[in-house]
Amino acid sequence: MGMQDFRELLTGRRDGAKPIVIDPAPSNSPPASPDRAADADVDAYIKIKSRLHLQILERVDLASLESMTELQLRREISTQVDWLLNENPAPINDAERRMLVRDIQNEMLGLGPLELLMADPSVSDILVNSYKQIYVERHGRLELTKVRFTDDQHLLRIIDKIVSRVGRRIDESSPMVDARLPDGSRVNAVIPPIALDGPTVSIRRFAVIPLKMQDLVKVHRSLTNEMATFLQGLAKAKVNMIISGGTGSGKTTLLNILSGTIPETERIVTIEDAAELQLQQPHVIRLETRPPNIEGKGEVNQRSLMRNALRMRPDRILMGEIRGAEAVDMLQAMNTGHEGSMTTIHANNPRDAMSRLENMVSMAGLNLPHKAMRQQITSAISVVIQANRLTDGQRKITSIQEITGMEGDVVTMQEIFAYQQTGVDARGKSIGHFMATGLRPKIADKLRNAGIDLPDALFDSSLRYE
């Protein structure tokens, strides 16, 4: 890291930018009082913190700090704050003194006020609607927090810090960006003139400890043991699958869990717009798209990565999400020896997923007849898994359907497992049950040939699971 880059890491701003200040209120503090005295206290705290931040930058030797670890840097910042407060005492108590140290550390080394939310393991999404309105999702529910930035410029500096770390940019000529944090969390940012009310940020948290299938079964109750056994058997038997669902329905989480059943002897290539998958196997090649540079050149999209992946001798290809013309390349890979490949798609149900997939294939400009496109789809994909987020925030696998072929021009499918919602309780929580439809999938023969013999009782329609 060069000296200029290190200076920008500590300041969170380009040379010439204004000093950084933030609201000190922690996320779990009570709502701020409209009382003027309280506002004056907050303003005084912000002024003290801004002054200390600038004084630290002026008195420390950045060259010596560059060689320190993050822990050493935090200790050095704490020491500098203590020295400065001893030299120029401020009217603050011990709790505010500790808060000053924490907030200045977060400003110089992290994401400012967002660090408080990133440290909370119960937060799955952070939604910054404006500098003074930040929501989080906890357990499927949105909550307004007390955390806020000082102004739009402060929020813009944090956004710039995030995107510059991964070699991307955001400005008026390119006002939207997808990026990721060092821990793998996915970030989307939009700034004016596209965002009319100021910069906005959406952060999809990255699980520090990856979820396992039993977590979905026993903790989150997203599916049953029988459904989990079936899905894991499909992944082991190298069955091509597509996971369908809406935003935040758990598609990527399920893809990541299913990838954990892939044997370590196989070579896996992942293709993602923003890297999220957490594969545990030793033989994994990760590819990520790249946006165009400031001259509009150098873009590497998912289709280019897909074509290159085919030259890398993969046993399986996992694509984070198909959004466009790369769908035709993914289908061709599934049809030409890369069995067991998986991807996700945005759709409300398995039938819609097939329609969307057909539309994406048409984007490639191959001018294939509709019947030919559907034949490509049915020969490539065997199972569609539908993930939905219910009104109360619960995430469920609501349908597992097998593609059985075509009748005329129509893709035929049969449902193997389903979730039926029967109502809501007094607390607004969804009530329902999982069930097998009683149909034994045709793919069961392929599973048996792969050494995975599923009992007939697994598909017994008389069983109901809460």
Side-chain angles (χ1 to χ4, degrees):
M1 181 186 294
M3 184 60 66
Q4 179 66 22
D5 294 333
F6 187 70
R7 182 184 298 276
E8 289 175 3
L9 171 65
L10 293 183
T11 60
R13 60 188 172 95
R14 309 285 185 193
D15 285 344
K18 296 180 180 180
I20 298 173
V21 290
I22 62 171
D23 190 319
S27 60
N28 58 357
S29 61
S33 168
D35 184 85
R36 292 184 179 180
D39 291 339
D41 289 342
V42 171
D43 291 340
Y45 177 92
I46 291 175
K47 290 179 181 178
I48 294 172
K49 180 160 59 60
S50 178
R51 171 175 59 83
L52 291 174
H53 186 189
L54 292 176
Q55 288 176 335
I56 290 173
L57 291 174
E58 290 172 357
R59 66 185 293 167
V60 299
D61 180 6
L62 292 182
S64 63
L65 293 183
E66 190 176 8
S67 61
M68 293 185 181
T69 64
E70 182 175 342
L71 180 59
Q72 291 172 328
L73 282 169
R74 288 186 177 275
R75 288 174 177 169
E76 179 64 21
I77 293 170
S78 178
T79 300
Q80 292 290 338
V81 171
D82 287 338
W83 285 349
L84 289 170
L85 288 177
N86 289 335
E87 291 177 1
N88 299 287
I92 59 175
N93 56 37
D94 288 343
E96 291 170 329
R97 191 184 187 104
R98 290 191 297 271
M99 191 184 298
L100 271 174
V101 172
R102 180 202 65 193
D103 289 349
I104 294 175
Q105 288 173 338
N106 290 341
E107 280 294 334
M108 297 178 71
L109 302 176
L111 304 179
L114 296 184
E115 286 293 327
L116 297 172
L117 304 177
M118 293 295 294
D120 186 346
S122 67
V123 172
S124 57
D125 286 271
I126 300 173
L127 307 172
V128 182
N129 295 344
S130 66
Y131 77 90
K132 57 185 177 181
Q133 186 186 69
I134 302 176
Y135 283 84
V136 297
E137 181 187 281
R138 288 189 177 94
H139 312 297
R141 298 280 190 173
L142 289 177
E143 303 175 8
L144 179 63
T145 72
K146 185 61 180 70
V147 177
R148 69 177 177 89
F149 292 84
T150 301
D151 52 29
D152 285 342
Q153 290 303 314
H154 182 200
L155 176 52
L156 282 170
R157 287 195 291 272
I158 296 299
I159 293 174
D160 187 59
K161 178 186 286 190
I162 292 172
V163 301
S164 61
R165 282 174 171 172
V166 292
R168 303 198 175 188
R169 66 185 180 88
I170 187 167
D171 51 39
E172 288 189 2
S173 64
S174 180
M176 299 180 291
V177 69
D178 285 313
R180 54 182 165 79
L181 299 177
D183 70 351
S185 297
R186 186 174 65 188
V187 181
N188 174 269
V190 185
I191 66 172
I194 302 300
L196 300 182
D197 298 322
T200 67
V201 181
S202 305
I203 301 178
R204 175 66 54 81
R205 289 290 308 280
F206 186 87
V208 177
I209 302 176
L211 291 176
K212 298 186 181 300
M213 187 64 81
Q214 286 305 304
D215 295 320
L216 295 188
V217 173
K218 296 181 178 180
V219 179
H220 300 284
R221 299 185 182 278
S222 298
L223 72 169
T224 66
N225 258 319
E226 290 73 15
M227 296 166 68
T229 299
F230 180 59
L231 293 180
Q232 289 174 322
L234 294 176
K236 291 177 183 177
K238 304 190 73 170
V239 173
N240 294 330
M241 292 181 282
I242 186 168
I243 302 170
S244 167
T247 301
S249 60
K251 300 186 302 296
T252 303
T253 298
L254 181 58
L255 177 62
N256 198 64
I257 290 172
L258 290 177
S259 70
T261 63
I262 299 175
E264 295 186 355
T265 56
E266 296 187 26
R267 175 176 170 87
I268 307 168
V269 177
T270 69
I271 299 172
E272 299 177 85
D273 196 41
E276 293 180 274
L277 295 176
Q278 310 171 59
L279 274 67
Q280 305 301 313
Q281 291 85 345
H283 202 163
V284 177
I285 308 299
R286 304 170 71 212
L287 304 179
E288 185 179 52
T289 61
R290 186 180 71 182
N293 58 23
I294 195 169
E295 289 85 20
K297 300 179 180 179
E299 179 182 13
V300 180
N301 57 30
Q302 287 197 126
R303 192 169 190 191
S304 299
L305 293 178
M306 186 69 204
R307 289 172 174 173
N308 190 78
L310 295 176
R311 305 184 182 102
M312 300 174 70
R313 197 251 171 237
D315 289 311
R316 304 200 198 204
I317 297 175
L318 304 185
M319 183 174 285
E321 181 183 331
I322 49 175
R323 295 185 175 92
E326 68 272 6
V328 69
D329 300 292
M330 187 69 182
L331 293 176
Q332 289 176 351
M334 289 176 167
N335 274 321
T336 55
H338 303 92
E339 295 181 330
S341 296
M342 294 178 275
T343 186
T344 71
I345 188 172
H346 273 273
N348 293 326
N349 56 63
R351 182 61 63 180
D352 285 349
M354 295 297 99
S355 299
R356 288 212 65 216
L357 197 55
E358 185 178 337
N359 290 336
M360 291 176 186
V361 171
S362 66
M363 292 179 187
L366 300 179
N367 295 321
L368 292 174
H370 290 297
K371 186 173 183 178
M373 284 191 286
R374 291 166 188 168
Q375 287 173 336
Q376 283 275 344
I377 293 171
T378 56
S379 62
I381 300 171
S382 298
V383 174
V384 181
I385 306 164
Q386 182 67 37
N388 281 334
R389 178 177 169 181
L390 307 184
T391 54
D392 62 351
Q394 293 186 79
R395 294 167 173 86
K396 302 285 188 183
I397 305 302
T398 57
S399 182
I400 299 176
Q401 298 200 20
E402 178 186 26
I403 298 177
T404 57
M406 291 185 64
E407 290 184 1
D409 291 343
V410 180
V411 177
T412 57
M413 308 172 72
Q414 63 178 9
E415 191 167 48
I416 310 302
F417 293 98
Y419 175 79
Q420 292 187 346
Q421 184 174 342
T422 56
V424 294
D425 63 16
R427 297 175 297 173
K429 186 177 180 180
S430 300
I431 302 173
H433 60 264
F434 295 97
M435 58 175 287
T437 61
L439 297 174
R440 183 176 178 83
K442 294 181 178 181
I443 204 72
D445 293 334
K446 181 174 181 178
L447 269 64
R448 186 182 300 108
N449 294 336
I452 303 166
D453 194 8
L454 301 178
D456 291 337
L458 200 70
F459 310 105
D460 188 348
S461 61
S462 65
L463 300 178
R464 295 288 187 272
Y465 310 94
E466 295 301 324

